[in-house]
Amino acid sequence: MEQEKTFEEQLEAAENKIKDCQENLGDVEVRDAMLEKASLQQKYNKFEDAIKTYIDTLPKSVGIGKKMDVHFLILQIYLKQRNLEKFKEHLNQQQTLLDQGGDWERKNRLKVYEGIYCLMIRDITKACKLFLDSVATFNSSEIISYNEVVSYTVLTSIICLDRQTLKKKVHQNPEVVGVLRENQVLKSFLESFLMCDYKTLFQKFAIVNENLSHDQYLSIHRKYLIREFRVVFYSQFLESYKTVTLNNMAKAFGVSVQFIDRELSELISSRRINCKIDKVAGIIESSRADDRNQLYNNLIKQGDYLLNRVQKLSRLTDL
Protein backbone atom coordinates (compact mmCIF):
# COMPACT_ATOMS: atom_id res chain seq x y z
CA MET A 1 0.00 0.00 0.00
CA GLU A 2 1.32 3.41 -0.96
CA GLN A 3 2.18 5.55 2.06
CA GLU A 4 0.25 8.81 2.36
CA LYS A 5 2.33 11.84 1.59
CA THR A 6 3.22 14.22 4.40
CA PHE A 7 1.74 17.70 4.58
CA GLU A 8 5.03 19.19 3.43
CA GLU A 9 5.11 16.93 0.37
CA GLN A 10 1.50 17.72 -0.50
CA LEU A 11 2.13 21.44 -0.01
CA GLU A 12 5.16 21.34 -2.30
CA ALA A 13 3.09 19.59 -4.96
CA ALA A 14 0.33 22.22 -4.60
CA GLU A 15 2.83 25.06 -4.97
CA ASN A 16 4.37 23.41 -8.04
CA LYS A 17 0.91 23.13 -9.56
CA ILE A 18 0.30 26.85 -8.97
CA LYS A 19 3.63 27.69 -10.58
CA ASP A 20 2.86 25.50 -13.60
CA CYS A 21 -0.57 27.16 -14.00
CA GLN A 22 1.00 30.61 -13.79
CA GLU A 23 3.48 29.74 -16.55
CA ASN A 24 1.25 27.78 -18.89
CA LEU A 25 -2.43 28.47 -18.12
CA GLY A 26 -4.77 31.33 -17.21
CA ASP A 27 -6.06 33.04 -14.07
CA VAL A 28 -8.96 30.62 -13.66
CA GLU A 29 -6.62 27.62 -13.41
CA VAL A 30 -4.25 29.55 -11.12
CA ARG A 31 -7.15 30.43 -8.83
CA ASP A 32 -8.34 26.82 -8.69
CA ALA A 33 -4.83 25.63 -7.83
CA MET A 34 -4.54 28.26 -5.09
CA LEU A 35 -7.88 27.16 -3.65
CA GLU A 36 -6.60 23.58 -3.55
CA LYS A 37 -3.55 24.78 -1.63
CA ALA A 38 -5.72 26.73 0.84
CA SER A 39 -7.99 23.71 1.32
CA LEU A 40 -4.93 21.58 2.07
CA GLN A 41 -3.69 24.09 4.64
CA GLN A 42 -7.13 24.22 6.23
CA LYS A 43 -7.31 20.41 6.38
CA TYR A 44 -4.08 20.32 8.39
CA ASN A 45 -5.23 23.19 10.68
CA LYS A 46 -2.80 25.71 9.21
CA PHE A 47 -5.58 28.24 9.49
CA GLU A 48 -3.66 31.49 9.24
CA ASP A 49 -1.80 30.24 6.16
CA ALA A 50 -5.07 29.05 4.65
CA ILE A 51 -6.73 32.43 5.20
CA LYS A 52 -3.78 34.21 3.57
CA THR A 53 -3.96 31.89 0.55
CA TYR A 54 -7.74 32.38 0.28
CA ILE A 55 -7.30 36.16 0.37
CA ASP A 56 -4.62 35.90 -2.35
CA THR A 57 -7.20 34.26 -4.63
CA LEU A 58 -9.62 37.22 -4.43
CA PRO A 59 -7.92 39.33 -7.16
CA LYS A 60 -8.15 36.32 -9.47
CA SER A 61 -11.81 35.66 -8.58
CA VAL A 62 -13.86 37.13 -11.41
CA GLY A 63 -17.41 38.08 -10.49
CA ILE A 64 -19.16 38.82 -7.20
CA GLY A 65 -20.29 35.22 -6.71
CA LYS A 66 -16.74 33.84 -6.90
CA LYS A 67 -15.49 36.42 -4.42
CA MET A 68 -18.34 35.61 -2.02
CA ASP A 69 -17.48 31.91 -2.24
CA VAL A 70 -13.95 32.68 -1.07
CA HIS A 71 -15.24 34.76 1.83
CA PHE A 72 -17.55 31.90 2.84
CA LEU A 73 -14.50 29.64 3.09
CA ILE A 74 -12.74 32.22 5.27
CA LEU A 75 -15.86 32.59 7.43
CA GLN A 76 -15.85 28.84 8.07
CA ILE A 77 -12.34 29.08 9.52
CA TYR A 78 -13.16 32.05 11.75
CA LEU A 79 -16.32 30.28 12.92
CA LYS A 80 -14.28 27.24 13.91
CA GLN A 81 -11.84 29.50 15.76
CA ARG A 82 -14.72 31.48 17.34
CA ASN A 83 -12.99 34.66 16.17
CA LEU A 84 -16.07 36.88 16.31
CA GLU A 85 -14.27 40.09 15.39
CA LYS A 86 -12.87 38.68 12.14
CA PHE A 87 -16.08 36.77 11.48
CA LYS A 88 -18.07 40.00 11.67
CA GLU A 89 -15.52 41.78 9.47
CA HIS A 90 -15.97 39.25 6.68
CA LEU A 91 -19.75 39.20 7.16
CA ASN A 92 -19.69 42.93 6.43
CA GLN A 93 -17.56 42.34 3.35
CA GLN A 94 -20.04 39.72 2.19
CA GLN A 95 -22.92 42.16 2.67
CA THR A 96 -21.07 44.79 0.63
CA LEU A 97 -20.56 42.29 -2.20
CA LEU A 98 -24.19 41.21 -1.95
CA ASP A 99 -25.34 44.82 -2.28
CA GLN A 100 -23.27 45.09 -5.44
CA GLY A 101 -25.24 42.32 -7.11
CA GLY A 102 -25.02 39.00 -5.28
CA ASP A 103 -27.48 36.25 -6.21
CA TRP A 104 -30.32 34.79 -4.12
CA GLU A 105 -28.52 31.53 -3.37
CA ARG A 106 -25.58 33.29 -1.72
CA LYS A 107 -27.91 35.77 -0.02
CA ASN A 108 -29.74 32.87 1.63
CA ARG A 109 -26.45 31.23 2.65
CA LEU A 110 -25.30 34.48 4.20
CA LYS A 111 -28.44 34.66 6.35
CA VAL A 112 -27.48 31.39 8.06
CA TYR A 113 -23.92 32.58 8.72
CA GLU A 114 -25.26 35.83 10.14
CA GLY A 115 -27.86 33.97 12.19
CA ILE A 116 -25.14 31.88 13.82
CA TYR A 117 -23.15 35.04 14.53
CA CYS A 118 -26.22 36.58 16.19
CA LEU A 119 -26.60 33.50 18.39
CA MET A 120 -22.99 33.80 19.50
CA ILE A 121 -23.36 37.48 20.43
CA ARG A 122 -26.79 36.83 22.02
CA ASP A 123 -28.83 38.90 19.56
CA ILE A 124 -31.72 36.46 19.81
CA THR A 125 -34.29 38.68 18.08
CA LYS A 126 -32.22 39.13 14.93
CA ALA A 127 -31.20 35.46 14.94
CA CYS A 128 -34.88 34.52 15.08
CA LYS A 129 -35.69 36.64 12.02
CA LEU A 130 -32.73 35.31 10.02
CA PHE A 131 -33.47 31.66 10.81
CA LEU A 132 -37.16 32.08 10.00
CA ASP A 133 -36.15 33.44 6.60
CA SER A 134 -33.70 30.55 6.10
CA VAL A 135 -35.97 27.60 6.87
CA ALA A 136 -37.53 27.47 3.40
CA THR A 137 -34.33 28.28 1.49
CA PHE A 138 -31.62 26.50 3.50
CA ASN A 139 -28.39 25.73 1.60
CA SER A 140 -25.60 26.08 4.19
CA SER A 141 -25.00 22.46 5.18
CA GLU A 142 -21.22 23.11 5.20
CA ILE A 143 -21.50 24.77 8.62
CA ILE A 144 -24.77 23.57 10.16
CA SER A 145 -27.41 20.90 9.60
CA TYR A 146 -30.96 21.71 8.56
CA ASN A 147 -32.33 20.10 11.72
CA GLU A 148 -30.17 22.42 13.83
CA VAL A 149 -31.45 25.47 11.94
CA VAL A 150 -35.04 24.39 12.60
CA SER A 151 -34.24 23.79 16.29
CA TYR A 152 -32.75 27.27 16.62
CA THR A 153 -35.77 28.69 14.78
CA VAL A 154 -38.18 27.09 17.25
CA LEU A 155 -36.22 28.08 20.36
CA THR A 156 -35.63 31.70 19.36
CA SER A 157 -39.21 32.08 18.09
CA ILE A 158 -40.72 31.01 21.42
CA ILE A 159 -38.79 33.83 23.07
CA CYS A 160 -39.26 36.50 20.40
CA LEU A 161 -42.64 35.98 18.71
CA ASP A 162 -46.14 36.53 20.03
CA ARG A 163 -48.28 33.41 20.31
CA GLN A 164 -50.31 33.94 17.13
CA THR A 165 -47.24 34.64 14.99
CA LEU A 166 -45.45 31.66 16.53
CA LYS A 167 -48.35 29.40 15.63
CA LYS A 168 -48.60 30.70 12.06
CA LYS A 169 -44.91 31.00 11.12
CA VAL A 170 -43.44 28.11 13.09
CA HIS A 171 -45.98 25.56 14.31
CA GLN A 172 -47.87 25.51 11.00
CA ASN A 173 -44.74 25.77 8.85
CA PRO A 174 -44.50 22.56 6.72
CA GLU A 175 -40.68 22.53 6.83
CA VAL A 176 -40.67 22.86 10.62
CA VAL A 177 -43.40 20.25 11.03
CA GLY A 178 -41.35 17.77 8.97
CA VAL A 179 -38.24 18.17 11.13
CA LEU A 180 -40.12 18.13 14.45
CA ARG A 181 -41.47 14.66 13.65
CA GLU A 182 -37.91 13.50 14.33
CA ASN A 183 -37.51 15.64 17.47
CA GLN A 184 -40.37 14.77 19.80
CA VAL A 185 -38.96 16.71 22.74
CA LEU A 186 -38.84 19.99 20.83
CA LYS A 187 -42.21 19.25 19.21
CA SER A 188 -43.84 18.69 22.59
CA PHE A 189 -42.04 21.75 24.00
CA LEU A 190 -43.52 23.98 21.30
CA GLU A 191 -46.99 22.46 21.32
CA SER A 192 -47.38 22.42 25.11
CA PHE A 193 -46.48 26.12 25.16
CA LEU A 194 -49.06 26.94 22.48
CA MET A 195 -51.71 24.78 24.21
CA CYS A 196 -50.91 26.27 27.63
CA ASP A 197 -50.11 22.81 29.02
CA TYR A 198 -47.60 24.19 31.50
CA LYS A 199 -46.91 20.97 33.39
CA THR A 200 -45.81 19.19 30.20
CA LEU A 201 -44.02 22.35 29.11
CA PHE A 202 -41.87 22.36 32.25
CA GLN A 203 -41.10 18.66 31.89
CA LYS A 204 -39.78 19.23 28.38
CA PHE A 205 -38.14 22.46 29.51
CA ALA A 206 -35.86 20.45 31.79
CA ILE A 207 -34.65 18.42 28.79
CA VAL A 208 -34.24 21.55 26.65
CA ASN A 209 -32.19 23.09 29.46
CA GLU A 210 -29.89 20.08 29.50
CA ASN A 211 -29.53 20.15 25.71
CA LEU A 212 -28.65 23.86 25.78
CA SER A 213 -25.75 23.13 28.13
CA HIS A 214 -24.15 21.03 25.37
CA ASP A 215 -24.99 23.28 22.43
CA GLN A 216 -21.94 24.63 20.59
CA TYR A 217 -23.37 28.13 20.16
CA LEU A 218 -25.90 28.53 22.99
CA SER A 219 -24.23 26.86 25.95
CA ILE A 220 -22.50 30.08 27.05
CA HIS A 221 -25.87 31.86 26.98
CA ARG A 222 -27.85 29.07 28.66
CA LYS A 223 -28.65 30.93 31.89
CA TYR A 224 -29.82 33.98 29.96
CA LEU A 225 -32.02 31.88 27.66
CA ILE A 226 -33.56 29.90 30.52
CA ARG A 227 -34.47 33.16 32.22
CA GLU A 228 -36.03 34.52 29.02
CA PHE A 229 -38.06 31.34 28.53
CA ARG A 230 -39.40 31.60 32.08
CA VAL A 231 -40.40 35.22 31.57
CA VAL A 232 -42.35 34.19 28.47
CA PHE A 233 -43.99 31.19 30.16
CA TYR A 234 -45.02 32.99 33.35
CA SER A 235 -46.20 36.07 31.46
CA GLN A 236 -48.43 33.98 29.21
CA PHE A 237 -49.92 32.16 32.18
CA LEU A 238 -50.61 35.38 34.12
CA GLU A 239 -52.22 37.11 31.12
CA SER A 240 -55.30 34.94 31.68
CA TYR A 241 -55.82 36.06 35.27
CA LYS A 242 -56.43 39.23 37.22
CA THR A 243 -55.57 37.28 40.36
CA VAL A 244 -54.46 33.68 40.90
CA THR A 245 -53.25 31.82 43.95
CA LEU A 246 -49.64 30.74 44.24
CA ASN A 247 -50.90 27.23 44.88
CA ASN A 248 -52.88 27.08 41.60
CA MET A 249 -49.97 28.44 39.56
CA ALA A 250 -47.60 25.96 41.18
CA LYS A 251 -49.99 23.09 40.35
CA ALA A 252 -50.30 24.29 36.75
CA PHE A 253 -46.51 24.14 36.29
CA GLY A 254 -46.04 20.98 38.36
CA VAL A 255 -43.68 22.62 40.86
CA SER A 256 -43.77 23.66 44.50
CA VAL A 257 -45.29 26.88 45.81
CA GLN A 258 -41.87 27.85 47.16
CA PHE A 259 -40.34 27.47 43.69
CA ILE A 260 -42.95 29.69 42.02
CA ASP A 261 -42.71 32.24 44.83
CA ARG A 262 -38.93 32.41 44.48
CA GLU A 263 -39.02 32.58 40.67
CA LEU A 264 -41.67 35.30 40.48
CA SER A 265 -40.09 37.36 43.25
CA GLU A 266 -36.81 37.46 41.35
CA LEU A 267 -38.49 38.42 38.06
CA ILE A 268 -40.70 41.04 39.71
CA SER A 269 -37.72 42.66 41.44
CA SER A 270 -35.92 42.90 38.09
CA ARG A 271 -39.12 44.31 36.49
CA ARG A 272 -39.42 41.50 33.97
CA ILE A 273 -42.97 40.56 35.01
CA ASN A 274 -45.83 42.96 35.80
CA CYS A 275 -47.42 41.50 38.91
CA LYS A 276 -47.18 41.55 42.67
CA ILE A 277 -47.44 38.84 45.31
CA ASP A 278 -49.62 39.05 48.43
CA LYS A 279 -47.75 36.52 50.55
CA VAL A 280 -50.24 36.75 53.42
CA ALA A 281 -53.17 35.74 51.20
CA GLY A 282 -51.00 33.63 48.89
CA ILE A 283 -52.27 35.49 45.83
CA ILE A 284 -50.58 36.83 42.70
CA GLU A 285 -52.11 40.03 41.33
CA SER A 286 -51.42 40.78 37.67
CA SER A 287 -50.57 44.35 36.75
CA ARG A 288 -51.32 44.50 33.07
CA ALA A 289 -49.79 47.33 31.13
CA ASP A 290 -52.48 49.68 29.81
CA ASP A 291 -51.42 50.55 26.28
CA ARG A 292 -53.70 53.58 26.08
CA ASN A 293 -52.38 55.07 29.31
CA GLN A 294 -48.82 54.33 28.27
CA LEU A 295 -49.32 56.14 24.96
CA TYR A 296 -50.92 59.07 26.77
CA ASN A 297 -48.03 59.33 29.24
CA ASN A 298 -45.47 59.15 26.43
CA LEU A 299 -47.34 61.88 24.54
CA ILE A 300 -47.33 64.15 27.60
CA LYS A 301 -43.59 63.60 28.13
CA GLN A 302 -42.79 64.29 24.49
CA GLY A 303 -45.06 67.36 24.51
CA ASP A 304 -43.30 68.76 27.58
CA TYR A 305 -39.92 68.17 25.98
CA LEU A 306 -41.02 69.90 22.76
CA LEU A 307 -42.47 72.85 24.68
CA ASN A 308 -39.23 73.30 26.62
CA ARG A 309 -37.23 73.28 23.40
CA VAL A 310 -39.53 75.87 21.83
CA GLN A 311 -39.23 78.12 24.88
CA LYS A 312 -35.42 77.88 24.80
CA LEU A 313 -35.40 78.70 21.11
CA SER A 314 -37.72 81.65 21.73
CA ARG A 315 -35.38 83.09 24.37
CA LEU A 316 -32.39 82.73 22.02
CA THR A 317 -34.35 84.49 19.27
CA ASP A 318 -35.21 87.39 21.61
CA LEU A 319 -31.53 87.84 22.40
Side-chain angles (χ1 to χ4, degrees):
M1 182 180 293
E2 185 179 351
Q3 187 175 2
E4 184 180 354
K5 292 181 179 179
T6 65
F7 167 70
E8 288 73 17
E9 291 172 333
Q10 294 180 66
L11 183 62
E12 183 180 359
E15 289 173 344
N16 288 336
K17 184 176 181 179
I18 293 171
K19 185 177 179 180
D20 180 62
C21 290
Q22 289 170 335
E23 293 175 352
N24 302 301
L25 300 171
D27 283 349
V28 173
E29 290 77 13
V30 172
R31 175 185 181 273
D32 291 343
M34 292 174 71
L35 287 174
E36 288 180 19
K37 175 185 174 182
S39 178
L40 175 67
Q41 292 168 323
Q42 184 175 349
K43 177 183 175 182
Y44 283 89
N45 296 330
K46 309 293 184 180
F47 295 128
E48 297 308 316
D49 292 336
I51 290 169
K52 183 180 182 302
T53 305
Y54 281 133
I55 291 174
D56 288 343
T57 68
L58 288 171
K60 298 184 181 299
S61 301
V62 179
I64 292 172
K66 296 289 187 183
K67 292 181 187 297
M68 290 189 71
D69 289 342
V70 173
H71 281 292
F72 278 126
L73 293 168
I74 296 172
L75 282 168
Q76 290 168 34
I77 294 177
Y78 284 134
L79 179 62
K80 187 172 184 178
Q81 293 179 322
R82 295 296 190 271
N83 189 332
L84 296 183
E85 182 179 350
K86 287 293 185 179
F87 192 86
K88 178 61 174 173
E89 179 183 318
H90 282 269
L91 276 180
N92 291 339
Q93 292 180 34
Q94 288 286 64
Q95 189 60 55
T96 299
L97 289 170
L98 191 64
D99 294 341
Q100 292 172 3
D103 58 39
W104 279 99
E105 179 187 352
R106 291 177 176 88
K107 179 179 181 180
N108 292 328
R109 283 180 69 191
L110 187 59
K111 285 181 180 179
V112 176
Y113 281 75
E114 189 176 359
I116 292 174
Y117 173 76
C118 289
L119 286 183
M120 292 192 292
I121 65 168
R122 210 162 78 182
D123 188 347
I124 305 302
T125 301
K126 189 171 183 181
C128 174
K129 181 180 184 304
L130 289 164
F131 286 133
L132 277 171
D133 290 344
S134 302
V135 167
T137 58
F138 176 76
N139 59 351
S140 302
S141 56
E142 70 275 6
I143 58 164
I144 191 172
S145 71
Y146 185 59
N147 286 7
E148 286 176 307
V149 167
V150 171
S151 294
Y152 290 141
T153 302
V154 172
L155 294 173
T156 56
S157 295
I158 289 174
I159 291 174
C160 300
L161 301 182
D162 63 80
R163 195 155 161 247
Q164 289 302 113
T165 306
L166 178 66
K167 187 173 183 180
K168 180 180 178 181
K169 291 191 174 183
V170 180
H171 185 247
Q172 296 175 351
N173 186 309
E175 285 84 7
V176 174
V177 170
V179 171
L180 290 186
R181 290 196 189 102
E182 303 171 13
N183 190 336
Q184 289 299 311
V185 170
L186 196 59
K187 181 175 184 288
S188 181
F189 185 58
L190 173 63
E191 290 181 347
S192 58
F193 172 69
L194 290 171
M195 295 169 61
C196 303
D197 179 1
Y198 297 107
K199 183 174 287 188
T200 301
L201 176 66
F202 252 42
Q203 290 170 355
K204 304 305 176 185
F205 188 34
I207 303 174
V208 169
N209 185 4
E210 177 64 22
N211 291 341
L212 285 175
S213 67
H214 303 294
D215 188 273
Q216 60 178 326
Y217 301 122
L218 296 180
S219 58
I220 60 174
H221 306 305
R222 184 182 63 85
K223 289 184 179 180
Y224 168 82
L225 292 169
I226 294 305
R227 182 183 176 89
E228 293 304 301
F229 278 125
R230 283 173 169 158
V231 169
V232 171
F233 299 158
Y234 297 149
S235 296
Q236 178 173 285
F237 176 85
L238 292 170
E239 278 178 4
S240 304
Y241 301 94
K242 178 66 176 173
T243 61
V244 62
T245 65
L246 280 167
N247 188 54
N248 284 342
M249 185 171 179
K251 283 183 179 179
F253 282 90
V255 296
S256 67
V257 171
Q258 292 78 8
F259 179 86
I260 285 292
D261 186 8
R262 184 172 64 251
E263 289 268 289
L264 290 181
S265 296
E266 178 189 341
L267 295 173
I268 291 169
S269 64
S270 59
R271 299 185 178 181
R272 297 302 311 279
I273 288 184
N274 293 319
C275 68
K276 57 183 179 180
I277 301 175
D278 183 343
K279 292 194 176 184
V280 175
I283 291 175
I284 307 164
E285 298 180 13
S286 297
S287 305
R288 300 178 187 175
D290 189 324
D291 291 340
R292 184 177 296 179
N293 285 342
Q294 186 64 41
L295 287 171
Y296 175 77
N297 290 332
N298 289 340
L299 181 62
I300 294 297
K301 289 179 181 178
Q302 292 169 5
D304 287 342
Y305 175 76
L306 179 60
L307 184 58
N308 288 334
R309 297 283 292 179
V310 170
Q311 288 173 344
K312 288 180 180 178
L313 181 61
S314 177
R315 287 197 294 270
L316 289 173
T317 304
D318 291 341
L319 291 174

